[in-house]
Amino acid sequence: MSTERAHPSGVPDPAGKPYRVRGVWLDRFRYRWFGMLEVEGEDGRLRLPMTGTIAQWFRPGEEVWVALGAGADPQALTFDAYALWRAVDGEWIPVWPMYQASFVLERSSPLSTAPLYRYAVRAREAGLESDFEAIIDLEQHHYASEAEILARWWCPEDRTWAEANARPQCPRCRRPMRFGDLKDATRASRFLVLTLEERMPYEPLYIGYVRIDPPIPLMHRRLPDGSVQPHFRQAIFPPEWFEPPFWPERYEEELQRERPELTPFDLWWESQEIALRVCDTRVARLARVVVHPDYRADGLGQLALRAAIAWIRERRIPEMRRPKVLLETIAQMARYNPFMERAGFRYLGDTASGRPVLVYPLTEEAQPYLERFYETDPVARAHRGRLYRPAFRPVEPLAGPIRLRHVTYRYESLLRLAGVARPVQEVLEAFGVQERAIQKIVLKDVSLTIHPQQVVALIGASGAGKTTLLRLLLGAAARRGEAPLPRGAIRALYALQAGSIEVPENIRAAAYLPGEVEPEFGEETLLEALYRRTGDEVLAIEVLNVAGIADAVLYRARFSELSTGQKERARIAYLLAARPNLLLIDEFAAHLDPAMALRVARKVAALCRAHGITLIAATHRPEVLQGLEPDLTVLIGYGLFRVLPRSGEPEAPAR
């Protein structure tokens, strides 16, 4: 950047003063979270502590504006004692303090639009050692592999390096090591972390991060006929948007000839130093967007993108120089997850290696180039910027209502003391327990109509008859030959004793009744089992996402390797994969924490309503009822049977 450019017309803070950059100090061991910028002005020199990831982008002679905070000591400035702007083409660009902003994601009822719950998220640029430890942990969730080591660590005592995914001890002095760097990041990489501002004690603080880099130096497009179009971005947008790129590999060979004494690490560091000085593009690249697995598939990926876009626009990330007009990404997962397209990204085509390229126009300046591309390019005319195609399509709804008429069900059993150990018999006899017949009515003269596509919640105490009602409904579906029943003597529990249940001819039921009717995963991974059930890998991923399993690591886990809560979500995904028009679930979300239970209930109910599925779920949890927003709530309790319509509708008479 030339130092001869005009002084910006305004000042960002009247209390500040102009300075010029004299130099940058970096410690390559800890540059991610510590560095120093030295500036000089009429009042002398200042040493401004900041992260090395920001300081390294400055050049000697640059004009900056510095405003010191009240009470700040100019001879011993701290991270929070000043604000800094840099002059770029007649504008002041905010640089320090580091970017941070609050975002709110509200999840509302699809029926009433009333808010059900919300996420209050703080997005800020990573600048603490703890931020990068959290990034490592999140990255393991996303790309975990026993063979992949993500980070380098260093010892402040002897400067020893080590590679590990969690903070190791120094192999020499046995002291805890410090974070050094992420192995697959470059010096140009900038990170934005997302934290929950409002959370339950059991919820994590860090729920995601975004990594932004300069654009890829070279990119070619593979066409449907197999040929390759070189430099295809420059055929769509002005070539100068992508120049000069961050391309350290371009300088390595020459630098190695000039300085053969450099170690491989020093060579790479110095090559990047040159690339940082020259890089100045109008495009940013989304290199990573990672959300904690428990919070994916609920819109937080889109929130992370929204936060990153605001950061890039305000701070011109990563270089903090020319204004950004375009955000690009290369993301294979975009074929299987639509969150990027939902956030406004548009598909350009596949790279020469077959990976999808998507872009987001950051300004109106980029929009006409995109529209011209979609109108004139033969391949782009076909896809019009759309890559993802949903696989879960509406099912054929029930052709008519389910009608229960005067259904009565009683359990009968005979208690015997024969064969019981004598001491136990004596205890039972002391309590007056003798051989006797037990008869218990759980459903009495029940009449109920369930209309197609309704969401129905069964509530009541344990043992009151909720499971019995689900059994009878499944038994009625089985008589049509469209539902699985357990083998053995327990099948008798699914048969009517009195009354009738009418179901439509096109009924296709899927059910989960713990211990009786359960999905069969075998030894296959989750994704394999659901692919076998659906024959469609996109559909398999969609139903896993709806059920709250959006972690690629869990896709390859076996059912037996999951936690209790993950198993419950996997079972729900298995049921949805069958694309039934009647879904019966007993003890819905019983093993999920309250926040997760609410999220899963909301998503499952929304999918059922949108795709024509009638859902009948038994639960005793208020957060599940809140998420389901049932059309009918059926209260069952030891002969009591009451139908409670949705709020605002008249209550059905008690029976």
Side-chain angles (χ1 to χ4, degrees), residues 247-572:
W247 198 354
E249 295 86 353
R250 174 184 285 178
Y251 310 106
E252 271 192 287
E253 186 176 345
E254 182 178 352
L255 190 61
Q256 191 171 30
R257 287 197 305 268
E258 294 175 354
R259 301 175 61 186
E261 76 282 0
L262 291 177
T263 67
F265 181 84
D266 290 335
L267 179 64
W268 179 234
W269 181 270
E270 296 297 333
S271 300
Q272 292 188 89
E273 184 73 30
I274 300 171
L276 288 167
R277 288 199 298 267
V278 303
C279 179
D280 188 8
T281 73
R282 301 197 67 193
V283 179
R285 177 167 64 93
L286 176 68
R288 283 282 199 281
V289 53
V290 178
V291 175
H292 190 290
D294 285 347
Y295 295 85
R296 294 177 196 155
D298 205 29
L300 282 168
Q302 294 177 63
L303 183 144
L305 293 175
R306 183 156 53 98
I309 288 165
W311 179 41
I312 294 166
R313 282 174 168 159
E314 178 183 311
R315 301 294 176 103
R316 303 183 179 182
I317 302 300
E319 305 103 314
M320 304 173 295
R321 291 172 181 155
R322 290 196 289 167
K324 301 297 181 184
V325 293
L326 195 70
L327 177 60
E328 71 176 19
T329 189
I330 303 171
Q332 191 69 271
M333 68 176 296
R335 297 191 192 280
Y336 311 106
N337 193 313
F339 81 96
M340 287 185 180
E341 290 183 66
R342 288 174 179 169
F345 278 79
R346 302 185 71 180
Y347 173 59
L348 289 186
D350 286 359
T351 65
S353 60
R355 294 184 296 166
V357 179
L358 296 93
V359 295
Y360 182 94
L362 293 167
T363 69
E364 290 297 324
E365 187 178 352
Q367 199 64 43
Y369 295 101
L370 269 178
E371 296 308 323
R372 187 179 305 116
F373 172 65
Y374 294 126
E375 291 171 5
T376 60
D377 184 89
V379 178
R381 272 203 306 265
H383 61 68
R384 299 294 301 179
R386 185 180 176 189
L387 172 65
Y388 181 80
R389 307 289 176 177
F392 199 112
R393 295 178 176 83
V395 303
E396 180 187 23
L398 293 174
I402 299 172
R403 300 185 189 277
L404 288 77
R405 301 181 188 275
H406 308 294
V407 172
T408 297
Y409 197 95
R410 73 173 65 193
Y411 287 99
E412 298 184 5
S413 59
L414 183 64
L415 296 182
R416 299 178 180 273
L417 298 185
V420 177
R422 185 59 199 164
V424 176
Q425 288 187 29
E426 292 174 357
V427 170
L428 294 174
E429 289 170 354
F431 282 94
V433 177
Q434 303 290 334
E435 293 188 6
R436 67 180 64 182
I438 302 295
Q439 295 181 341
K440 176 184 175 183
I441 296 178
V442 291
L443 297 175
K444 184 178 181 180
D445 195 29
V446 170
S447 294
L448 173 67
T449 299
I450 299 171
H451 292 283
Q453 303 182 62
Q454 282 190 322
V455 173
V456 180
L458 310 180
I459 63 174
S462 297
K466 303 188 299 297
T467 302
T468 298
L469 185 56
L470 290 175
R471 285 172 178 156
L472 297 180
L473 290 169
L474 186 59
R479 288 194 294 275
R480 289 280 187 187
E482 292 295 339
L485 288 182
R487 299 174 182 175
I490 198 173
R491 289 174 65 94
L493 299 175
Y494 293 73
L496 273 171
Q497 293 177 345
S500 64
I501 299 179
E502 300 173 7
V503 297
E505 292 184 1
N506 72 330
I507 191 169
R508 294 193 317 278
Y512 170 53
L513 278 65
E516 298 179 21
V517 180
E518 297 193 2
E520 297 179 0
F521 287 93
E523 289 302 308
E524 292 179 313
T525 65
L526 290 189
L527 194 55
E528 285 177 316
L530 292 176
Y531 174 73
R532 171 175 48 82
R533 188 165 175 79
T534 63
D536 187 325
E537 69 278 10
V538 176
L539 176 57
I541 291 174
E542 282 185 11
V543 295
L544 283 167
N545 289 347
V546 168
I549 296 181
D551 184 358
V553 175
L554 293 181
Y555 292 166
R556 67 183 188 189
R558 292 179 174 82
F559 184 78
S560 59
E561 297 169 341
L562 303 179
S563 69
T564 301
Q566 290 166 347
K567 286 179 177 177
E568 181 151 7
R569 284 175 270 165
R571 292 186 185 105
I572 292 173

